[in-house]
Amino acid sequence: MSDEWQTYGCQIDGQMAFVTYDHGVSTELDSLSFENLAVFSIEIADPDSRGMPAGEEANRLNALEDFLDELLQPDRALIVGRITCNGVRTLYSYTLLGSAECHEIAGAIELQSGRAVTLRHCPDLTRAGYWQELFPSDDDLQVIKDMRMHEMLMERGDPLTEPRPIRHWAYFKTADSRRAFLDDVAQHLRGLNDDAYETDDGQFAAMLEHVGLPDWQSMNAFTMKLNGLATKAGGEYDGWETELKGPQAHS
């Protein structure tokens, strides 16, 4: 288990979901001797209207994950991620243990917690459980970046409730591809002002600005569209920045 865990929000079967996965282990998966995927799904007690844990339930679920880690044992298994969706916390692990042993562990968690626990156990030499169910898509990676900005602003005391100018950058190899990008942006997104210039290293840059809220949910509608349009035009969307609001803005 590495220290490089990431979280992003997404939709699974039309339901809000949060995925947390070990990004650091992505370079080590192929060398692991753990051949089996064991996925433990634990019922959330009294989930909120979104199917998410409420109040102290998040701490109780974290304690159950620690208990699972103890039962699996680090030399026999590795937990690589979790999905929280529709009233269920699903924990993903790779392990040397067989199906019977993992069913015993699921039973121990049920006994400890009084919750329903289901198990999915199968060989997974290609690590499909990690790459296809946990690892983020390009859009999910953009959510991660937006959530990082959201968290950074909040850590500095910004309540994220005041609209303000937000600037975006994208870079292209040719002026024509930049022009195609800006034309697409004008068709798909309203309220964006743009500026075009050439960088010192010969790239063709586009800076766009809109006024809005910088929380990740509000931003993501813009950033995923800009990321997709920049990629379509052969360029790269490079993210956004904004000014800090709140008590620490002038400190």
Side-chain angles (χ1 to χ4, degrees), residues 9 34 43-44 48 63 78 98-99 120 125 127 152 157 167 174 192 212 217 232 238 249:
F34 307 147
E43 185 180 61
I44 296 174
D48 65 18
L78 178 68
S99 177
R120 172 161 58 101
L125 295 176
R127 313 308 190 196
M152 182 183 71
R167 292 165 293 281
T174 68
L192 280 166
Q217 295 98 326
K232 175 186 172 186
D238 196 42

Side-chain angles (χ1 to χ4, degrees), residues 10-22:
C10 62
Q11 294 273 322
I12 297 178
D13 296 331
Q15 300 289 329
M16 174 185 285
F18 284 95
V19 180
T20 300
Y21 76 104
D22 188 344

Side-chain angles (χ1 to χ4, degrees), residues 9-158:
C10 62
Q11 294 273 322
I12 297 178
D13 296 331
Q15 300 289 329
M16 174 185 285
F18 284 95
V19 180
T20 300
Y21 76 104
D22 188 344
H23 185 81
V25 81
S26 62
T27 58
E28 305 169 15
L29 277 178
D30 289 342
S31 63
L32 290 177
S33 59
F34 307 147
E35 297 182 353
N36 299 318
L37 174 70
V39 181
F40 298 83
S41 296
I42 304 173
E43 185 180 61
I44 296 174
D46 299 320
D48 65 18
S49 60
R50 305 168 303 160
M52 296 291 133
E56 287 299 310
E57 178 64 1
N59 292 331
R60 290 190 286 266
L61 288 169
N62 290 339
L64 287 175
E65 182 173 344
D66 291 340
F67 182 50
L68 171 62
D69 195 34
E70 290 177 15
L71 294 173
L72 288 171
Q73 299 181 17
D75 61 336
R76 304 188 304 173
L78 178 68
I79 295 176
V80 295
R82 72 185 76 93
I83 297 175
T84 306
C85 180
N86 199 24
V88 177
R89 169 69 57 85
T90 302
L91 302 168
Y92 285 71
S93 65
Y94 284 98
T95 181
L96 296 172
L97 300 177
S99 177
E101 292 168 293
C102 287
H103 272 101
E104 288 180 6
I105 289 173
I109 297 172
E110 283 190 336
L111 189 62
Q112 167 84 3
S113 66
R115 305 159 187 254
V117 179
T118 59
L119 171 70
R120 172 161 58 101
H121 185 283
C122 60
D124 187 14
L125 295 176
T126 64
R127 313 308 190 196
Y130 180 86
W131 294 114
Q132 297 178 18
E133 299 179 40
L134 294 173
F135 200 79
S137 65
D138 287 345
D139 283 347
D140 295 330
L141 284 170
Q142 188 58 54
V143 173
I144 291 172
K145 293 175 184 177
D146 293 339
M147 291 181 76
R148 282 180 187 161
M149 286 289 289
H150 176 121
E151 291 165 1
M152 182 183 71
L153 290 168
M154 290 200 71
E155 285 170 0
R156 298 182 64 184
D158 192 326

Side-chain angles (χ1 to χ4, degrees), residues 223-235:
T223 58
M224 284 203 293
K225 178 60 74 173
L226 291 173
N227 188 39
L229 293 178
T231 300
K232 175 186 172 186

